Amino acid sequence: MRQTRKRLGDLLIEEGLITEEQLQSTMDEKGSNQKIGDALIQRGFITEQQLVEVLEYQLGIPHVNLFQYPFETNLFSLVSKETARRNLIIPLKRDGNKLFVAMANPMDFIVIDDLRLSTGFHIEPAIATKDDILRTINKYYDVDDGFDELLDELPQNENGRDDFTDLNSPIVRLVNQLLSNAVIQRASDIHIDPQETKVVVRYRVDGVLRNERILPRHMQSVLTARIKIMSNLDITEHRIPQDGRIKLNLDFHTVDLRVSTLPTVYGEKIVMRLLDMGAALNDLSKIGFNTLNLKRFSELIEQPTGIVLITGPTGSGKSSTLYAALNKLNSEKVNIITIEDPVEYQMEGINQIQVNSNVGMTFAAGLRSILRQDPNIIMVGEIRDRETAEIAIRASLTGHLVLSTLHTNDSLGTVTRLIDMGVEPFLLASSVSGIVAQRLIRKVCRDCIEVQEPSKREKEIFARRGMKVDKISRGKGCPSCNMTGYKGRIALHEVLVINDDMRRVIMNDDSFQKLREHAIKNKTIFLIDDGLLKVKQGLTTTEEVLRVAILE
C-alpha cells in the first residue's frame, strides 16, 4: 500500500513548532504563489533551520550544513554565479557520474533538469538554508574575482572618472561586493574607517560592530570617490561632512542606503545605513511591546490631541516604532503630515517633508507651515531645540496629535530634558500625554537555544526587581547566528503615561524622585523590568539586558 506523505503544516504542528491557529492564520493571509514554509518564516513562527529539518524528514532528502563544508571548489565552474544566485543552489561534491548539489528548494525539478543537461551529471539534491547558500556563494565565488585580484587591478590614484562608473571596473565590483555581503549578513550599517596604514570596513550586525575587511591605505581615495558618485555627493569636497542616498537593486532585492561622510585626520570616514524596504516593520504587535505596554501605547496614540514622545539613543529603533504607530493610524479619514531628517521610509497615504536647512526648511519652519495644512496627526522626526519643542506643544494644545522623538536615557529624564531646553513646566504638563523609552537588544538564536539554570548573580538581579527566575535561555553558537548565540533583535520599552498626579508634580517643579514614585504607583514597567521579563520568556539573556538598561 502506498504511504501518503504528511503535509508540511501537520508535521510542524506534530513537532510542536507551531500551533493549529498559527498555521490557519498563515494559510488565510499568505499570497497564492507563496509557499507555506516561507510564509511561516516571514511571520517569525519558525526559523529556516527548523523548516529544513522538517523538510528533510518529509521529503527524505538529507540536509547539509555549509558552514565548514569541505567544498570541491573546482566544481564551481560547472554552475555560474548568476545561476547559483538565481536558483539558490551550490555544488557540493562529485562521486562518479553523480553531482551532489545543495538546494534551498530540492523539489524544483526544472532546475534539477537544467543542471543535469548543462553538466552531464546525475543530480543528487540536498537541502540547505537560503542564508547558508547565499553566504557560501559570496564567500567562494567571489574568490574568482576576489579582493586580491581586485586590489592588483585597482588604480593607484584617482585618474579619470570612468573607473568609478564602468560596471566592470574593479572598484565598482568591490563596492557592490561590500554592499551585497552586508545585505546577506543582515547588517544595519557599514562603516568605512580610514586609519594611518589601512582602511577598515566594519559591519554592524544586530547592534554590534565587527571587522569585515581590512583594505590597503591606497584604496581609500577610489573607494570614497565611488561611494560619493553613487550617492550624488561632491567628490572634490573633502573638508566638510556630506549626506546622500543610494537606491539600488542587489540580488533581486531593493536596498536603500543613507550615506554620511565625515572628515577625520586620516581622510573621510563613511557610514552607510541600510534601510531595507522589505524589512520595514509596520505592525505594532511585532515590535516587542509586552501586553500592558502595547495597550497603553495604543491608547496614547489613539487620543485626538497631546504629544507622545519616543526616546532613546541613535539606532534604538525609534523611527520603526513611529512608523508602526503612523501605519496603525493611517486612514482616509485623517490628514497625517511628517517632517523628518531624512525621510527614511516612504509611506503611502502620508505627506512626508524632508528637512533642508540650506534653504531654511528646518523642523521649526516646516512645523509652522504644517499647521496651516489642516493636519490631524503630525510627526516631527526629532525635537532638537526649544523652538521646535514650543511649536510642537502649541500644535498639541490646539487639537493635534503630535508624535516625535528625543535623545534621552529614560522616560522620566525626558521631562527634565525638556525643562532644560527652556520649555515652561505648565506647558509641558498640559501637552505631553505619554513618553516611551526604547532600546534594542539581541535575541537568543532559536536554532542553537539551550535552557540553563540561572547563576547566583542572575537570581540576585531578578530578586532586586521583585521577580523569581527558574530557567534562562542561551545560544551556544551555530552557523545560523555566525557562532554568536544571538540572531535578530527585539525592543525593550518603558511606557510612561502622564496622569494628573504627575502633571501636578511637573507644574510645581517638584523633585525627580516624586515623579518616579508616581510612575511606580501607576505600575510603570521600567526598561530593566521589561528586559528581565523577556529573559524569563527565553527571548534574550541577562547580559544583553544589562548592556542597555541600568539596574537600580
Side-chain angles (χ1 to χ4, degrees), residues 373-548:
Q373 289 280 323
D374 182 33
N376 299 92
I377 298 160
I378 300 167
M379 191 264 262
V380 184
E382 190 186 334
I383 293 179
R384 292 178 184 168
D385 50 46
R386 177 182 172 176
E387 191 185 8
T388 311
E390 285 184 341
I391 301 167
I393 284 170
R394 217 170 301 140
S396 75
L397 293 174
T398 53
H400 304 94
L401 174 67
V402 180
L403 305 175
S404 189
T405 71
L406 201 66
H407 289 268
T408 61
N409 287 334
D410 57 10
S411 56
L412 293 165
T414 308
V415 175
T416 325
R417 171 101 172 84
L418 286 167
I419 291 170
D420 283 350
M421 264 186 192
V423 176
E424 293 292 345
F426 72 90
L427 280 176
L428 186 59
S430 49
S431 60
V432 177
S433 50
I435 302 164
V436 180
Q438 179 168 317
R439 295 288 185 284
L440 286 179
I441 55 169
R442 294 183 291 170
K443 288 198 307 193
V444 173
C445 172
R446 283 163 63 183
D447 291 327
C448 60
I449 190 168
E450 277 187 336
V451 176
Q452 300 176 353
E453 279 285 308
S455 67
K456 189 172 172 227
R457 168 85 177 121
E458 281 176 317
K459 285 179 179 170
E460 281 170 15
I461 290 167
F462 274 85
R464 270 175 71 178
R465 304 302 298 175
M467 295 186 218
K468 271 183 74 176
V469 63
D470 306 317
K471 57 182 192 302
I472 53 156
S473 300
R474 274 198 174 75
K476 63 175 188 280
C478 66
S480 179
C481 61
N482 228 343
M483 308 312 282
T484 59
Y486 297 101
K487 190 173 182 184
R489 288 193 288 176
I490 194 168
L492 298 186
H493 297 100
E494 180 175 301
V495 180
L496 181 74
V497 179
I498 307 285
N499 59 17
D500 292 341
D501 292 336
M502 287 186 198
R503 288 199 171 91
R504 239 171 268 126
V505 172
I506 296 168
M507 281 168 83
N508 297 338
D509 213 357
D510 278 345
S511 69
F512 184 79
Q513 191 52 39
K514 248 192 175 156
L515 201 59
R516 189 175 176 79
E517 283 164 17
H518 282 299
I520 293 167
K521 207 159 109 187
N522 198 22
K523 294 190 170 55
T524 300
I525 299 170
F526 292 101
L527 278 173
I528 185 81
D529 301 324
D530 192 31
L532 294 178
L533 286 169
K534 287 183 165 76
V535 173
K536 281 186 80 164
Q537 291 171 301
L539 294 172
T540 187
T541 62
T542 321
E543 296 85 12
E544 269 299 292
V545 173
L546 294 178
R547 187 170 65 83
V548 299

Side-chain angles (χ1 to χ4, degrees), residues 6 64 124 126 140 157 177 232-233 292 355 358 451 459 465:
K6 281 191 175 173
V64 62
E124 287 283 343
Y140 287 97
N157 53 25
Q177 205 179 106
N232 288 322
L233 300 179
L292 179 63
V355 165
N358 296 337
V451 176
K459 285 179 179 170
R465 304 302 298 175

Side-chain angles (χ1 to χ4, degrees), residues 258-305:
R258 209 170 74 202
V259 181
S260 165
T261 72
L262 183 74
T264 70
V265 284
Y266 295 121
E268 288 175 283
K269 172 178 167 68
I270 298 175
V271 175
M272 294 184 271
R273 162 74 51 96
L274 279 86
L275 306 168
D276 185 346
M277 308 316 279
L281 267 177
N282 283 331
D283 189 344
L284 269 183
S285 59
K286 289 183 182 150
I287 284 175
F289 279 103
N290 67 40
T291 321
L292 179 63
N293 281 344
L294 181 61
K295 179 174 173 284
R296 285 181 169 179
F297 184 63
S298 299
E299 284 168 3
L300 285 174
I301 61 171
E302 278 160 11
Q303 290 177 12
T305 63

Side-chain angles (χ1 to χ4, degrees), residues 83-260:
T83 306
R85 269 242 165 93
R86 192 174 57 249
N87 299 316
L88 293 168
I89 56 175
I90 194 109
L92 298 170
K93 60 178 182 183
R94 57 175 283 194
D95 182 6
N97 71 333
K98 288 181 185 170
L99 178 66
F100 290 81
V101 178
M103 305 178 70
N105 178 13
M107 302 304 284
D108 195 334
F109 299 116
I110 295 170
V111 171
I112 292 173
D113 273 354
D114 286 349
L115 268 181
R116 185 172 53 76
L117 291 168
S118 63
T119 62
F121 287 101
H122 176 72
I123 306 299
E124 287 283 343
I127 316 175
T129 66
K130 212 178 287 183
D131 278 359
D132 227 359
I133 292 174
L134 281 171
R135 208 180 293 128
T136 308
I137 291 170
N138 259 37
K139 186 175 173 184
Y140 287 97
Y141 275 95
D142 287 339
V143 170
D144 302 343
D145 53 304
F147 272 87
D148 302 337
E149 207 174 302
L150 285 173
L151 301 187
D152 296 337
E153 290 178 49
L154 278 171
Q156 301 288 318
N157 53 25
E158 282 180 57
N159 286 336
R161 213 176 141 115
D162 295 345
D163 275 329
F164 304 128
T165 49
D166 173 16
L167 292 179
N168 291 316
S169 81
I171 186 63
V172 171
R173 298 201 323 259
L174 170 63
V175 172
N176 286 351
Q177 205 179 106
L178 288 173
L179 296 178
S180 177
N181 281 352
V183 170
I184 287 169
Q185 292 182 38
R186 292 197 184 88
S188 59
D189 302 82
I190 305 168
H191 288 237
I192 297 171
D193 296 336
Q195 296 178 8
E196 193 173 1
T197 57
K198 58 186 186 254
V199 178
V200 179
V201 179
R202 296 188 292 168
Y203 290 165
R204 188 182 290 281
V205 180
D206 289 341
V208 180
L209 275 170
R210 56 182 172 73
N211 284 5
E212 170 68 13
R213 290 256 154 71
I214 292 177
L215 305 171
R217 172 90 173 136
H218 74 257
M219 286 190 57
Q220 184 191 336
S221 55
V222 286
L223 191 60
T224 306
R226 170 61 188 159
I227 291 168
K228 281 184 168 184
I229 284 168
M230 288 173 81
S231 40
N232 288 322
L233 300 179
D234 183 353
I235 65 166
T236 60
E237 182 55 81
H238 308 290
R239 299 159 301 171
I240 58 168
Q242 297 186 66
D243 291 305
R245 282 192 99 128
I246 302 173
K247 199 165 193 168
L248 74 164
N249 266 325
L250 275 177
D251 306 334
F252 322 106
H253 190 72
T254 304
V255 181
D256 209 353
L257 295 117
R258 209 170 74 202
V259 181
S260 165

